[in-house]
Amino acid sequence: MTTTDTAATSRVGTLALTGLAPLVWGSTYAVTTEFLPPDRPMFTALMRALPAGLVLLAATRVLPRGRWIWRTAVLGLLNFGAFFPLLFLAAYRLPGGVAAVLGAAAPMFAVVFTALLMRQRPDGRKLLAGVIGIVGVSLVVLRATAALDLVGVLAGLFGAGSMAAATVLAGRWGRPEGVGPLAITGWQLTAGGLVLLPLALVTEGAPPALDGSAIGGYLYLGVIGTAAAYAMWFRGLSRVPATSVAFLGLLSPLSAAVIGWVWLGQALTPLQLLGIAIALGGTLLGQTGGRRIARREDVVPQPLPDAVPERAGALLPTPARAA
């Protein structure tokens, strides 16, 4: 096998593993409606982010240092502190299908942000793929009775833009040397969760009483739907172009539709099946063209004689073992 073949195989494997993240995210709606307390979107967003982030911090025992402190704050805000509230606001003010279509605009935002960051013309194939993806998702989720609400529409668009900006920046910055995807996921979840904590307390008050089903639902969303899924997502962003990863997000509403059909008994019409095929085509087309964004971490300059290299992360002190 040639080097080119090996690289292509590695890329396909990375995309396949990264694509598991939006497939898992597609289960969020079913879990939320079937197991979680109603009308607590901010609390749910908080429970998805902060506990998982703190657990990952304790498990990896690595904290951000230097420039990665502000980078983590920015990514945590975009990925969780802003995106989660905007996502739920759009979901509560719009029919689910409309909110999903607005979310499907994220790859288009990612193409634009990448073009601005690299100061180059947007990739035509990726723009076409974005349009195809939106059309496909629309056929799957939109209904004739869908209504529009200006606040909900703006929340959906800003949420898609926030997610796209985080995707592009994460692809641009990569990860600090020696820091794995679980650690950087924990950093961002904690940063975003700390933003969500006061918002949840102010808007919804004290946490609701939780039964066994709710606890299980929150554990699933926190461990599988957030910590593990975002670790796979961030791992992919460090290995393939951000715009390619962004198009994998189209799999989330498709996954939600299939889960609703299999688990909740919701019917899939021939038009929806056509929409799934079209959206998958847009996802595949979105993997062509473009190039990986060069990151500063990819180039290792020779330090000056008196230079002191910046440490990207530091281990937390290990507790002394009991005698």
Side-chain angles (χ1 to χ4, degrees), residues 216-318:
Y218 282 125
L219 283 174
Y220 169 82
L221 287 181
V223 177
I224 306 298
T226 302
Y230 273 98
M232 291 187 290
W233 187 257
F234 295 143
R235 175 185 179 274
L237 282 171
S238 69
R239 298 178 178 224
V240 295
T243 49
S244 296
V245 175
F247 275 94
L248 296 176
L250 294 172
L251 297 175
S252 182
L254 306 186
S255 171
V258 173
I259 290 172
W261 171 56
V262 173
W263 183 11
L264 304 179
Q266 300 171 351
L268 282 178
T269 66
L271 187 61
Q272 287 177 297
L273 294 175
L274 175 62
I276 289 176
I278 292 174
L280 289 175
T283 302
L284 293 175
L285 182 61
Q287 307 311 313
T288 64
R291 61 189 179 90
R292 180 184 175 131
I293 300 174
R295 302 194 308 265
R296 291 179 62 186
E297 287 82 358
D298 292 333
V299 180
V300 182
Q302 295 297 323
L304 297 175
D306 58 347
V308 180
E310 177 189 39
R311 293 183 61 193
L315 293 178
L316 293 172
T318 304

Side-chain angles (χ1 to χ4, degrees), residues 54 121 149 307 314:
L54 294 176
R121 295 179 60 184
D149 172 87

Side-chain angles (χ1 to χ4, degrees), residues 124-195:
R125 279 178 294 182
K126 290 191 181 294
L127 289 174
L128 176 60
V131 173
I132 292 174
I134 292 174
V135 171
V137 171
S138 299
L139 293 177
V140 174
V141 299
L142 279 185
R143 300 292 182 269
T145 57
L148 297 181
D149 172 87
L150 179 59
V151 174
V153 170
L154 291 176
L157 289 175
F158 276 105
S162 178
M163 180 70 169
T167 299
V168 173
L169 287 176
R172 171 73 173 176
W173 292 336
R175 298 196 308 264
E177 183 180 357
V179 176
L182 286 179
I184 203 165
T185 302
W187 297 354
Q188 294 186 42
L189 284 171
T190 303
L194 292 176
V195 173

Side-chain angles (χ1 to χ4, degrees), residues 17-42:
L17 183 61
T18 308
L20 291 177
L23 290 177
V24 171
W25 293 334
S27 66
T28 301
Y29 174 78
V31 172
T32 300
T33 56
E34 296 298 308
F35 298 108
L36 303 185
D39 302 324
R40 301 304 295 261
M42 293 302 300

